[in-house]
Amino acid sequence: MPALASHRKPRPRVRSAAPVVGLTSAALATVTLLSSQSATAAPAPKPSIEDVQRKVDDLYRQAGTATQKYNQAKEAADKQRTKVDTLLEDVAKRTAKLNDARRTLGNYAAAQYRDGALAPTATFFLADNPQSFFDQTHLMNRMADRQQQAVDEFRTQQAKASKQRAQAVESLETLTESQTALRTSKQNVQNKLTEARTLLSKLTAEEKARLAELERKKEAEAKRKAEELAKKQAAAKKEAERKAKESGGGTETGSGSGSDSGSSASTKAEKVLAFARAQIGKPYVWGATGPSSYDCSGLTQAAWKAAGVDIPRTTWDQVNVGTRIATADLQPGDLVFFYDDISHVGIYKGDGMMIHAPKPGANVREESIYYMPIYGSVRPA
């Protein structure tokens, strides 16, 4: 008997997993090799002292900008707080008036409830005589007028009180926003200063010595430029005096009123500088306006206030006060501003030098105006 043909489907041949194992092993070997290479790779090059100096200077400049934002936010918050206090006081007064009007209305309502009301015809017949009726009617009309005035007064006081409450709420919201901006600016200042201090703390003693040497060179170059400016200003002054003498006007020029004006400006400048010199040695503290410490714009504001001139709080506002002055035409008492973002200011004392509150960790001191990039200068008065 012939054998029956098998109807089973042939099984597919399963490939060996060996190649996969081989691939995995190769991949692991590659990862291990890369890891070894990464571990043995050279670390990132350490920044040069020049780079560190630039970075630290930039961080202090950024801290100066953040300080001006803090000053601006604090000024706005102080003004808004004063406005809110005034509004709340007005609301309290208005509420008292509203309560007085409410009591007056209540008295009228109580009187009308007690006395009741009769129709005019009944009142006429119950009156002793017609004249008495008309007198009583006139009196009632006057009382009705007073009642209407009381109602009008109540409505007026109610509307004003409602309006002032809305203003107070709006002002409180603005105050909250100003306080939030104040906290943000304060944190930004602290962050920049912390970053600068951290960067400096990582330097070795040798690196710190090299950094100090770079600072000395920078100061020497700034002083050299100041001396050049002093020579140019002295020469310009001498030439002006010579021309004035040749013209027969002596050293005084202009009209009498012009001379008086110049004398007044000179007196103010002397007071500004006298105040500024008295602050030398006091520490820089961001946000400070004296008397024991200052930031840059706090010092300039206090100095000019000592001369009887009020100037704004921040460098951004101070730069817009008075008359713009070219660097070559600077006179003692003028304000010199620095950096493109106008984040620093000093008081010109003459001979290319200024008195300023430099930065955290430093004291109020004299320094060349060329120590930092000059933005521009103004003469407040």
Side-chain angles (χ1 to χ4, degrees), residues 119-139:
T121 303
T123 303
F124 176 76
F125 284 113
L126 291 173
D128 294 335
N129 57 64
Q131 185 60 44
S132 175
F133 167 76
F134 290 118
D135 290 344
Q136 187 175 5
T137 301
H138 178 66
L139 178 62

Side-chain angles (χ1 to χ4, degrees), residues 21-59:
V21 173
L23 179 60
T24 303
S25 300
L28 287 173
T30 302
V31 170
T32 303
L33 179 60
L34 290 173
S35 299
S36 299
Q37 291 175 344
S38 176
T40 58
K46 191 173 183 178
S48 66
I49 294 300
E50 290 78 9
D51 289 337
V52 171
Q53 183 189 42
R54 282 191 291 269
K55 180 66 175 175
V56 169
D57 287 347
D58 187 56
L59 284 170

Side-chain angles (χ1 to χ4, degrees), residues 115-172:
D115 299 339
L118 293 175
T121 303
T123 303
F124 176 76
F125 284 113
L126 291 173
D128 294 335
N129 57 64
Q131 185 60 44
S132 175
F133 167 76
F134 290 118
D135 290 344
Q136 187 175 5
T137 301
H138 178 66
L139 178 62
M140 293 301 294
N141 287 337
R142 290 180 62 188
M143 290 182 64
D145 289 341
R146 290 195 191 118
Q147 288 179 358
Q148 185 60 46
Q149 289 176 1
V151 170
D152 292 341
E153 176 67 13
F154 175 78
R155 287 174 177 170
T156 299
Q157 297 300 336
Q158 189 178 41
K160 289 182 178 179
S162 177
K163 182 179 179 180
Q164 287 187 326
R165 284 195 191 96
Q167 290 176 339
V169 170
E170 184 179 352
S171 292
L172 282 170

Side-chain angles (χ1 to χ4, degrees), residues 258-268:
S259 298
D260 292 341
S261 176
S263 176
S264 174
S266 178
T267 301
K268 288 177 181 177

Side-chain angles (χ1 to χ4, degrees), residues 39-95:
T40 58
K46 191 173 183 178
S48 66
I49 294 300
E50 290 78 9
D51 289 337
V52 171
Q53 183 189 42
R54 282 191 291 269
K55 180 66 175 175
V56 169
D57 287 347
D58 187 56
L59 284 170
Y60 277 128
R61 182 193 61 76
Q62 291 179 42
T65 302
T67 297
Q68 294 307 313
K69 289 181 179 178
Y70 170 85
N71 293 339
Q72 191 177 52
K74 186 176 185 303
E75 189 176 39
D78 290 345
K79 287 181 179 178
Q80 197 61 35
R81 188 179 289 109
T82 301
K83 183 178 179 181
V84 167
D85 290 343
T86 302
L87 280 171
L88 290 177
E89 185 178 347
D90 290 344
V91 166
K93 291 178 181 177
R94 189 66 63 186
T95 301

Side-chain angles (χ1 to χ4, degrees), residues 315-359:
T315 54
W316 302 323
D317 292 327
Q318 289 180 8
V319 75
N320 294 318
V321 172
T323 308
R324 293 300 292 267
I325 302 296
T327 302
D329 299 326
L330 282 169
Q331 293 180 8
D334 292 345
L335 300 183
V336 187
F337 298 87
F338 302 90
Y339 301 111
D340 290 341
D341 59 358
I342 322 174
S343 55
H344 192 72
V345 62
I347 302 168
Y348 190 68
K349 68 173 288 289
D351 296 331
M353 302 293 287
M354 67 177 170
I355 299 174
H356 70 140
K359 60 185 178 182

